[in-house]
Every structure is written in C-alpha cells, then in structure tokens.
Amino acid sequence: MTYQSEVASGTAARSAYRLDTREEYICWSRMQAEAGQLLEAIVARKETERRAGGGIFLWGVGNPPAAIASVLARTNAPVRAVFSIMKSRPKMVDVAPARTVVWRRYIDAQGVNRPLPPHALVTSRGHSAGGTKLRHYALMCRSEEPLLVRRGEPFDPAAFRNAGGTGAPVGASQVTALLRRVAADSDDADYEVNLNAWLAESYWVRLIDPAELDLGKLAMLHTLADLEPENWCKAVAEIRGGLPEIQETKARGTLL
C-alpha cells in the first residue's frame, strides 16, 4: 500500500468534510513523525490497522487526557477526532529514536487492565526525559472511510477551549487536547483538518506493558502497510512478542 494524499477541492467536497459547529466536543491532535517512522508511513500503517479492525484503530499520543474524557466514553457522547499536521519539523528524537517500544496493554474507561485488541499496533520511542518510558497514551478511533491525508479544510484552534480544568485556550505546547467549541471556525485558520475520525470504545486510554523492539521487528514495521488485513494480526502478534497471560484487573487509577 502506498501513501495517499487527497486534496479537497470544490464547495461540495469542502462542506462535506467541514466540522459540524453543533458538535460540542472534539479531540484535536497534532501529528508528525514518531518512533522512527515518517508521518506518511504511519498513516498508511494505520489505514491497514483500521481495515483489519473493522474500522477501529488506535493513535498513539504522548499526553494523558482530561478527566472528562472517561466520562464522555462511559456515556458514549459523540466526540470527533481531528488530526492536523504540525507546522514544525519532526524532532530527531522522533525520527531516529535510540529505542523503540511496542505497547501491549491499556487501562479502559472503567479502570480495567486489558490487552490491546489483536489488530492494534502502537509504538513510541522507548525513552523520555526521566529515563525509560513507562507510560504512553492512545486515542481509540473509528472511521468508516479510508484514512487519507486531506488538504484544504481549515481548522481554527481559537474556536475552542480546553474541556477540562478552567477551560483555558489551547496552549502552543498542547499536542493532543480534548476541546469544547466556543465559536465558529475562521476560514483564515493556520491549521487544517488533515485526518478525521470519531473517538470510540474507551476514547483516550493509558497504555502499559511496553516491549522493546529489536532490529528485526523494527524492520517489520516498514513492511506492515503492504499486508492484507488477514495477515495483519499475525504480524502484530509477532511484533508484540506474544502477550503475557495477565487476567483483566481493576487498576488503581484510571486514565491518569
């Protein structure tokens, strides 16, 4: 499978993709290269994951969610996931990390420790400023449409405020945030809606149980996007190295 980019053109195409101003909440994430893979490769891999999962895919993010995320998940409130390409170039620590890990378990919206779905593959760099990276997070998303990087639809962060805390404006350092709409989008916005999906299942989860990838498994990552869905889960299981036999347990803390 090759990287695909679709340039939205024409009034009909733009209006069909435009965010509905009646949607109260959205989850906005800025995307770029991660865990040694360029963005184009990540999107292609996530499209294969989406097809193998019947529309469900997980998108790794570095920061924890607002507390309201688990409430929205438990009530099944509709929350659109909007992905925008970062303006800045990817950091070298993301383009060429010293270590890369694959995540194998997560804490769901009820606080239960579960294995990731067999089709879900989330990787990240294996170190952080404090040393070994022990936590990561993921957006659980659903899309009935193929994942394509689109162009031409503006996204205005100024039309939103953070859904948690004091409702502050979106900070320049916030990479992923749960937002609440306060105004209509401006057509002069600096960002675009480059990918579009809906949060699903537990919405925004904490990942646990990382396993470091050796050179062979790192090489496999670059071939996964070419697999058919029936072979995808076998490859994911191989990269994970086999899931440990841990019963589902209630975690002490949820999504923190």
Side-chain angles (χ1 to χ4, degrees):
M1 177 178 176
T2 59
Y3 171 64
Q4 301 178 63
S5 178
E6 176 180 307
V7 178
S9 60
T11 302
R14 289 195 297 271
S15 61
Y17 198 61
R18 183 178 293 275
L19 293 177
D20 190 334
T21 56
R22 295 170 298 178
E23 294 169 8
E24 185 174 9
Y25 295 101
I26 72 156
C27 182
W28 184 45
S29 186
R30 286 180 273 189
M31 57 185 183
Q32 194 45 278
E34 169 72 16
Q37 282 198 304
L38 296 179
L39 179 59
E40 292 88 347
I42 294 172
V43 173
R45 174 161 62 86
K46 287 298 162 181
E47 167 56 15
T48 306
E49 179 179 320
R50 184 198 68 83
R51 290 189 294 131
I56 297 290
F57 66 97
L58 271 65
W59 190 279
V61 297
N63 57 288
I68 194 176
S70 60
V71 176
L72 295 173
R74 288 195 293 268
T75 59
N76 200 32
V79 179
R80 189 183 295 272
V82 172
F83 301 91
S84 300
I85 297 174
M86 287 183 179
K87 296 178 185 179
S88 59
R89 291 178 177 274
K91 299 177 181 179
M92 281 306 300
V93 70
D94 292 317
V95 173
R99 297 172 53 231
T100 301
V101 296
V102 61
W103 297 88
R104 303 187 292 184
R105 301 187 69 86
Y106 74 103
I107 307 300
D108 73 8
Q110 306 299 326
V112 178
N113 179 330
R114 299 183 183 276
L116 284 181
H119 72 281
L121 181 64
V122 182
T123 60
S124 75
R125 66 176 184 261
H127 59 281
S128 62
T132 301
K133 188 177 180 68
L134 298 177
R135 290 186 180 182
H136 198 50
Y137 302 86
L139 304 178
M140 304 187 81
C141 302
R142 174 183 291 277
S143 176
E144 303 304 328
E145 300 296 327
L147 299 182
L148 303 171
V149 173
R150 301 171 185 261
R151 303 284 183 175
E153 182 59 43
F155 177 77
D156 182 15
F160 298 87
R161 295 290 184 271
N162 278 280
T166 61
V170 183
S173 63
Q174 284 186 273
V175 177
T176 304
L178 184 65
L179 306 178
R180 187 170 186 174
R181 181 180 288 280
V182 296
D185 292 301
S186 169
D187 287 335
D188 296 327
D190 291 335
Y191 287 94
E192 294 181 321
V193 180
N194 297 121
L195 284 180
N196 193 35
W198 292 93
L199 294 189
E201 299 184 3
S202 289
Y203 284 24
W204 190 339
V205 299
R206 175 161 61 93
L207 303 176
I208 56 176
D209 190 24
E212 186 170 352
L213 300 182
D214 59 25
L215 292 177
K217 291 178 180 178
L218 286 173
M220 284 185 64
L221 286 177
H222 299 287
T223 65
L224 292 181
D226 296 323
L227 294 178
E228 292 300 321
E230 57 267 23
N231 295 322
W232 170 265
C233 291
K234 294 179 182 178
V236 170
E238 183 175 349
I239 288 175
R240 288 182 183 175
L243 292 176
E245 293 297 327
I246 302 177
Q247 291 184 345
E248 294 174 358
T249 57
K250 195 75 171 182
R252 290 186 178 181
T254 60
L255 306 183
L256 297 178

